[in-house]
Amino acid sequence: MVNLFNLDTDKEAADIRATVSGPLRTALTVANNKPLRLVSKFGVDATSVKGWSNTDLKFTFPLADSLTLQQVDVQARSKIVNAVLPRTPLDKPIESGNFDLAINSKGLSLSGDATISETPVKLIWIEPFGADRKFIRRYELRGRMEPTAQKQLLGLPSFAPYVTGPVDLDFSLIERLNGNKEVAAKISLKETALEMPEFGWRKKPGVVGVAWVSLVSFSDGATDIQSIDVQAPGLRGKAAIRFDRMNKFLSAKLEKIVLGRSDFGGVISVSQSGGYDVRLMGKSLDVVPLLAQADDADRSTMPQLNLTTKFEIVWFDQDVPVHNVSGTLEHDGEFWNQASLTGCLLYTSDAA
């Protein structure tokens, strides 16, 4: 331990430094002693952690008869090996953690490799402290998420049969002071199977695909996916989606969908009957795969919907397009049972 006293200035101060090498619990307990409480304020129980650390501690404060906590500058920097943090604000235990950790009176910063929900990840955790902070905490996480981790670690519902298999995730999460959570993510879909049976499209594992997502999870539980942009061979899609506080779908705005011969946008919302009201419009729509499913009710994955359309070109047949198509259709979950469409067929003559 080193004690330095600056006594040759108008503002006399103490500078105390120490190095602690040993169990992580010891280092965090020291940093959490009264009146500092530099660990418990971040949701970490210093007595429950495991691992080994080498920690440099520094305390600087003025030599005065009356000393407040705000006048004490505390800094702790640690190299942590094989850490186990059972209780953290992540709501998931952190295991096998090898971190660089910095704690001071302004906040906490932790970065390194760990295992969360049996998933190896690279983790950055920043938590500011003070009245001038702009957010509660920020996480950055990278790793491969198998389907189990997608549910247990990320809390995502199953998107089968549309999305199945692992994803490589690089995302950041910010918890705001008002209780909202903001997420920005880049998702590699190379090893993921993607399927849109309604359009006869599928991406096999091993084929390159990527998605970018930005969303806000509100304090009442509702979620707005403000943007989801997906690119894969034969697919380009950009949309915004809203869910209620029970994670039920409310609406979607399809800004741009390019899939095979289809190129369109539209709006989807929940209908009063429990199905969907869908408005689609754009340059083209290929409904040949939809009609093929309608011929086999056992294979149909179409929900109940009311569809309003307006397209320059629609393919009802593999080879013959219909132009300037507009109208309405109804699907009861098994069959297309009502349709009112107008359009025109253009014929050309090969005669000389």
Side-chain angles (χ1 to χ4, degrees):
M1 178 178 292
V2 178
N3 298 299
L4 300 176
F5 297 93
N6 299 317
L7 303 178
D8 57 350
T9 66
D10 293 336
K11 296 182 180 180
E12 299 173 344
D15 188 340
I16 301 175
R17 306 181 186 186
T19 298
V20 179
S21 182
L24 175 61
R25 178 186 304 177
T26 301
L28 295 184
T29 299
V30 170
N32 200 47
N33 281 336
K34 292 181 179 181
L36 303 176
R37 296 302 188 191
L38 293 181
V39 176
S40 58
K41 70 175 61 175
F42 301 113
V44 176
D45 181 2
T47 64
S48 66
V49 302
K50 298 179 182 179
W52 195 265
S53 71
N54 187 78
T55 303
D56 293 324
L57 293 170
K58 179 181 178 181
F59 298 86
T60 305
F61 53 88
L63 296 176
D65 293 336
S66 58
L67 184 65
T68 65
L69 177 60
Q70 287 71 27
Q71 293 176 289
V72 181
D73 180 26
V74 182
Q75 298 183 32
R77 293 185 176 275
S78 298
K79 289 284 188 181
I80 299 173
V81 178
N82 201 27
V84 176
L85 307 178
R87 295 179 57 189
T88 73
L90 288 170
D91 294 327
K92 302 290 182 183
I94 295 177
E95 300 177 337
S96 303
N98 297 308
F99 299 120
D100 290 322
L101 172 66
I103 302 176
N104 56 40
S105 56
K106 294 183 179 180
L108 172 150
S109 175
L110 179 146
S111 63
D113 301 321
T115 298
I116 305 176
S117 296
E118 300 182 355
T119 302
V121 299
K122 292 186 177 297
L123 174 68
I124 297 176
W125 170 15
I126 297 175
E127 188 148 356
F129 181 72
D132 59 344
R133 63 179 180 170
K134 293 181 173 57
F135 58 89
I136 296 176
R137 60 182 59 95
R138 183 176 82 231
Y139 305 124
E140 297 178 16
L141 186 148
R142 287 185 293 157
R144 169 160 293 192
M145 303 292 140
E146 299 290 343
T148 300
Q150 294 170 29
K151 179 180 179 180
Q152 294 182 353
L153 178 56
L154 304 179
L156 296 177
S158 172
F159 293 104
Y162 302 101
V163 182
T164 55
V167 299
D168 290 317
L169 182 66
D170 186 348
F171 91 98
S172 66
L173 182 151
I174 297 178
E175 295 187 18
R176 295 295 182 184
L177 300 177
N178 60 6
N180 294 348
K181 298 179 181 180
E182 300 173 5
V183 172
K186 178 182 179 181
I187 307 168
S188 173
L189 303 169
K190 183 175 181 180
E191 301 305 323
T192 312
L194 303 179
E195 186 169 4
M196 293 187 180
E198 297 86 353
F199 293 93
W201 178 87
R202 185 173 188 267
K203 184 195 83 66
K204 297 180 179 180
V207 177
V208 174
V210 64
W212 294 268
V213 179
S214 62
L215 65 85
V216 177
S217 177
F218 296 98
S219 57
D220 65 356
T223 300
D224 278 2
I225 301 179
Q226 298 174 324
S227 176
I228 177 168
D229 192 338
V230 183
Q231 296 184 32
L235 171 65
R236 172 67 192 271
K238 188 173 183 179
I241 308 173
R242 298 181 59 212
F243 298 89
D244 68 11
R245 60 188 183 89
M246 303 302 293
N247 205 31
K248 293 183 178 179
F249 173 85
L250 291 178
S251 64
K253 180 181 179 182
L254 309 179
E255 296 184 25
K256 183 74 170 179
I257 305 294
V258 178
L259 182 60
R261 295 191 294 185
S262 299
D263 185 347
F264 62 92
V267 178
I268 304 172
S269 59
V270 178
S271 65
Q272 294 182 347
S273 63
Y276 301 95
D277 292 324
V278 182
R279 289 189 292 116
L280 299 180
M281 65 287 296
K283 294 181 179 180
S284 57
L285 181 67
D286 186 354
V287 298
V288 173
L290 297 177
L291 296 176
Q293 286 200 24
D295 292 336
D296 187 347
D298 291 337
R299 291 194 303 114
S300 178
T301 59
M302 288 288 294
Q304 179 183 349
L305 59 85
N306 301 313
L307 175 62
T308 302
T309 66
K310 186 175 181 179
F311 287 94
E312 297 177 20
I313 297 175
V314 176
W315 277 274
F316 296 97
D317 178 85
Q318 187 66 36
D319 301 314
V320 182
V322 180
H323 296 259
N324 300 324
V325 176
S326 62
T328 60
L329 301 92
E330 292 184 6
H331 192 276
D332 62 10
E334 293 186 9
F335 304 101
W336 294 100
N337 56 21
Q338 185 173 335
S340 176
L341 295 171
T342 60
C344 61
L345 292 170
L346 301 181
Y347 290 94
T348 60
S349 175
D350 295 330

